[in-house]
Amino acid sequence: MTETNRQLVLRERPARAITDDCFELVTKPIPNPSHGEVVVRNLWLSFDPAQRGWLNDIKSYMPPVAIGDVMRASGVGQVVASEDDRFPVGSFVHGRLNWQEWTLTNPSTDEDAIELVPPEIDDPKLMLSVCGTTGLTAYFGMTEIGRPVDGDTVLVTAAAGSTGSVAGQVARLLGATTVVGTAGSPDKRAWVREVAGYDECLDHHDRKVRRQLGNIAPQGFDVVFDNVGGALLDAAIFNIALHGRIALCGSISTGYRPEKPTVGLHYYQLLTTRRARMEGFLLPDFLERADAARAQLLSWVRQGVLRVEHDELTGLERAPEGLRRLFEGRNLGKQILHLADPV
Ligand code: NAP
C-alpha cells in the first residue's frame, strides 16, 4: 500500500489528442477525515469520452476541469476512514473519485458525491460499466428513444465499446430480429458477433460501409443507436427505414475537441421523406428510474443473456493513455484503470 496519495493534475489543455504531458503527477499526504468526511481508497477508475470535453475551456453542461485541479473521473473505491455513519469502513462506494489513489470527500455537501454500491452487486466494477453510466445509457437510449420491437432491424455504432455492446444486446432482448454493429478492428468485430451475439459487425473504416449497410438491411434500419456521429451517422441516415428512430447517444468521431466538427450530414433530407425521427438524449434525464433499470440489467447479466467486457489498465500513470484509448478505438468493452485490490 502506498504511504502517499499520488494525483494527476491538469498541467495544460490538450489542443488535439490527449498527451501524457497535459498532466503532472503530484504527491500529497493521505488525507484524514474531519467531521462528516470520508476517505476512500480508489480501486478502479472509469474512462469516459465526456472527460475529453471537460478539458476544453468552453461553456458546457459541466464546468471545465481547471488548470492545477486533479482530473475529474468517476470510480469505485472502498472506505478506509469515515466520519459519516452511512459509509462504514470497508464499504464499497462509487462516484466522483478523480485521478488519484485516495479521495477525501464529504458525502453530504460534495457535488456528485459518493454513494454506496448497492449490496446486490457482488462485483463493484460493474458500477462503472453495465450497472453504471454506460449500461444505463444503453438501456434508456434503447428503451426510451430507439424502442425496437419484434421484427425490427437495429444498427449500433461503436458496438464493441462499453455503451454500444450493451445497447445491441438490449435491443435483441427487447425483440429486435436483426442487430448489426460497427467496430474498428477484426478482433472487436469477432467479439461483437461471437460474444455479444450481433448478427453482423462491419468495419467503419471501410469506405463502402454505407453500401454494405444497405446490402444487410435493404428495407433500412428501424432503429439506429449512434455513438459515433459524422460520416458514419450520415451512412446510417442514408439507410434509415420508413418511420425509423435514430437515438443520438454521442459523437466520438468529433474527438470532443474544441474546434468545429469537419463533417456535415448530407442525407438528412431522408428523415423527411422516410418520416424518420432523430433524437438526442442524456442519461441524467432518466436517473430517477436508474434503480429499476439497473435491476433489469443485472438480472440479464446473471441469466447469462447480457455479456459484459472490461478492458483494464493498471497504475495511475497510465490514466492519460486510458482516456486516449477510447479515441483511438483500442478498448474492447469498458475501459477502466485498476489502482488497488479490495481489502
Ligand atoms: P466506448 O464505446 O467504450 O469507446 C469509444 C469507442 O468509439 C472506441 O472504442 C472506438 O471503437 C469508437 N471510436 C472512437 N473514435 C472513433 C471515430 N473517429 N470513428 C468511429 N468510431 C470511433 O465509449 P463509451 O464510454 O461507451 O461511449 C460511447 C459513446 O456514448 C460516446 O459517444 C459517448 O460520448 C456516449 N455517451 C453518451 C451518454 C449520454 O448520456 N448520451 C452517456 C455516456 C456515453 P471502434 O473504432 O472500434 O468502433
Side-chain angles (χ1 to χ4, degrees), residues 3-8 24-30 101:
E3 299 292 313
T4 52
N5 186 18
R6 297 192 310 149
Q7 306 176 315
L8 277 171
E24 183 179 358
L25 191 66
V26 299
T27 302
K28 295 279 171 64
I30 297 171
E101 291 172 327

Side-chain angles (χ1 to χ4, degrees), residues 239-295:
N239 288 292
I240 194 70
L242 200 64
H243 302 298
R245 285 88 62 202
I246 301 176
L248 289 183
C249 178
S251 48
I252 195 163
S253 68
T254 65
Y256 296 136
R257 293 191 295 260
E259 71 265 28
K260 267 192 203 152
T262 51
V263 178
L265 297 179
H266 299 99
Y267 299 115
Y268 68 89
Q269 79 278 10
L270 293 174
L271 298 174
T272 307
T273 53
R274 301 204 186 142
R275 284 80 108 198
R277 172 192 286 241
M278 182 154 82
E279 187 175 344
F281 71 98
L282 277 183
L283 175 62
D285 296 344
F286 301 98
L287 284 182
E288 277 180 8
R289 287 181 281 147
D291 288 348
R294 190 176 288 130

Side-chain angles (χ1 to χ4, degrees), residues 49 137 161-163 183-184 188 204 227-228 249-250 256 281 283 326 331:
T137 299
S162 186
T163 307
K188 290 167 77 166
H204 64 80
N227 291 306
V228 170
C249 178
Y256 296 136
F281 71 98
L283 175 62
L326 300 178
N331 62 304

